[in-house]
Amino acid sequence: MEKLPELCIKSKADNTRKKYGYAFQKFRKWCFAHNISYLPASDTNVSLYLASLGDTCKSTGTIDEAFYAISWAHRMAGLPNPCSSELTVSIREGCHRTIGRQVLNKKQPITSDILKQLCILYGGESCSLLNIRICCMCLISFAGFLRFSELVNLRRSDIVFQDDHMSLFIQKSKTDRYREGSSVLIACTDGVTCPGRKTRRYLELSNMTDQSDQHLFRPITYCKTSNIYVLRGQKYLSYIRARGILLDALQSMSVIKSKFGLQSLRPGGKMKVFRSIIQKKNGRWKSDSTEDGYVSENIKRQLLVTKILGI
């Protein structure tokens, strides 16, 4: 019996629980300020709260976080769910239509031509660990369709090299509900933008052993005594720092950096173009059909993805 509450809480991923907890605390403070009950909450009060958020927030995601957090808290407490009423659902939909999908600065996808310029400038044989890092990050993310969280959580032991490709083991992903992990295969292209070659070069300069459990992409510091750059610490790069590194590199190439971001490295558009010949599992998008989970994938077909991308 003691494990039931713990198992109920674990029904959601850690990041989801944190997000819901933060959103529900905001609702709780709002209820305190208006001297009304937050648990249980009435559908009228929840609707008023969502409407107040709609007047101030700029994203429909904020509305959804509050909606699902309040719903989850009531379901976990075994109380009637105010978010299931027609009133609350209608207010949420109204907020969505009012806010809309206002993307003031939608980021453009990074192209293979930009990656080639990047590798020529920062990925030469004489380049330092500091420079080769940005090439390696961009190529792995681009060729493997990796989200930022998947990229920075890669460890040295998650990478295995073969003659014509390298394999990345993604320990967890937001589409991997039960944290079973999945493997991503990236072909060696033998060009200036070859992901395998740049990753090998990065690993040589970083001096990480093959079985190291350290994160692949970490902060770098300059060692004056040896006149080289070295990886430091155990923590992976933060989102802000990684974004800054990418934008600085693009600016040095005379590319308008405001058009790009870390999300530009996941070329979702190309996956749609080649969907007829590439299985969706390569990009780990949520599938519309259960049959994808039972398909025996062919390695050559998976490696075709990298070659189609033009790097």
Side-chain angles (χ1 to χ4, degrees):
M1 293 294 290
E2 294 179 357
K3 292 188 66 176
L4 291 180
E6 181 182 349
L7 291 174
C8 284
I9 292 176
K10 286 186 176 180
S11 64
K12 298 294 183 183
D14 291 342
N15 287 340
T16 303
R17 293 201 304 269
K18 290 178 183 178
K19 186 183 295 184
Y20 283 1
Y22 176 74
F24 187 74
Q25 285 303 315
K26 288 180 64 177
F27 172 65
R28 182 170 172 267
K29 291 179 180 179
W30 182 86
C31 289
F32 277 143
H34 293 80
N35 196 27
I36 55 179
S37 173
Y38 65 92
L39 199 66
S42 68
D43 58 347
T44 302
N45 290 337
V46 173
S47 298
L48 289 172
Y49 176 66
L50 295 179
S52 68
L53 286 180
D55 291 336
T56 57
C57 69
K58 297 181 180 179
S59 169
T60 57
T62 304
I63 302 295
D64 288 341
E65 280 183 17
F67 181 87
Y68 290 117
I70 295 169
S71 174
W72 183 66
H74 281 76
R75 285 187 286 109
M76 289 295 101
L79 298 171
N81 185 4
C83 295
S84 61
S85 76
E86 287 294 329
L87 174 62
T88 311
V89 172
S90 297
I91 293 299
R92 174 178 171 244
E93 290 297 324
C95 290
H96 271 246
R97 289 180 180 275
T98 301
I99 298 172
R101 298 183 62 86
Q102 300 175 8
V103 182
L104 300 179
N105 186 19
K106 186 175 182 180
K107 303 304 179 183
Q108 297 181 7
I110 284 181
T111 65
S112 56
D113 289 336
I114 292 177
L115 288 178
K116 288 177 182 178
Q117 294 180 47
L118 183 71
C119 290
I120 291 173
L121 185 60
Y122 291 101
E125 291 299 322
S126 61
C127 288
S128 66
L129 177 68
L130 183 67
N131 289 336
I132 202 72
R133 179 181 61 181
I134 184 59
C135 294
C136 188
M137 288 173 59
C138 290
L139 290 173
I140 288 179
S141 185
F142 185 86
F145 303 95
L146 302 188
R147 300 175 178 86
F148 175 74
S149 59
E150 298 165 351
L151 177 69
V152 295
N153 276 295
L154 279 175
R155 299 174 185 269
R156 172 60 187 94
S157 54
D158 294 330
I159 301 178
V160 177
F161 291 97
Q162 302 294 339
D163 292 338
D164 60 345
H165 70 275
M166 66 177 181
S167 173
L168 311 178
F169 182 72
I170 309 301
Q171 296 188 18
K172 63 178 182 179
S173 169
K174 76 175 190 178
T175 55
D176 181 12
R177 293 182 59 188
Y178 300 112
R179 300 296 185 258
E180 296 174 343
S182 60
S183 293
V184 175
L185 303 186
I186 299 177
C188 295
T189 58
D190 297 325
V192 68
T193 54
C194 176
R197 180 184 299 177
K198 289 296 183 284
T199 303
R200 285 181 183 273
R201 178 60 178 161
Y202 175 75
L203 293 175
E204 288 175 6
L205 294 174
S206 66
N207 292 321
M208 279 190 284
T209 60
D210 293 350
Q211 301 304 317
S212 173
D213 200 36
Q214 293 180 314
H215 285 103
L216 197 62
F217 300 112
R218 291 176 281 139
I220 290 177
T221 188
Y222 180 70
C223 183
K224 292 183 179 180
T225 55
S226 54
N227 195 32
I228 58 172
Y229 287 97
V230 294
L231 291 173
R232 62 177 174 84
Q234 301 295 324
K235 186 67 175 176
Y236 52 74
L237 279 176
S238 67
Y239 180 90
I240 295 176
R241 180 59 183 141
R243 180 177 178 274
I245 292 172
L246 172 63
L247 296 185
D248 287 344
L250 293 177
Q251 186 177 32
S252 68
M253 296 160 49
S254 299
V255 174
I256 303 176
K257 65 178 185 179
S258 60
K259 294 183 178 181
F260 302 95
L262 290 173
Q263 61 269 42
S264 301
L265 292 169
R266 183 172 158 87
K270 286 198 173 184
M271 177 55 81
K272 293 180 181 179
V273 173
F274 302 111
R275 200 172 187 176
S276 60
I277 59 172
I278 301 171
Q279 295 162 355
K280 283 181 282 185
K281 193 173 179 181
N282 284 292
R284 288 162 292 104
W285 272 267
K286 291 183 178 179
S287 174
D288 296 328
S289 171
T290 57
E291 66 178 285
D292 285 1
Y294 301 97
V295 175
S296 177
E297 295 180 321
N298 183 281
I299 291 181
K300 289 184 179 180
R301 195 170 188 180
Q302 291 184 66
L303 299 182
L304 180 63
V305 178
T306 313
K307 297 174 182 179
I308 288 176
L309 292 176
I311 59 173

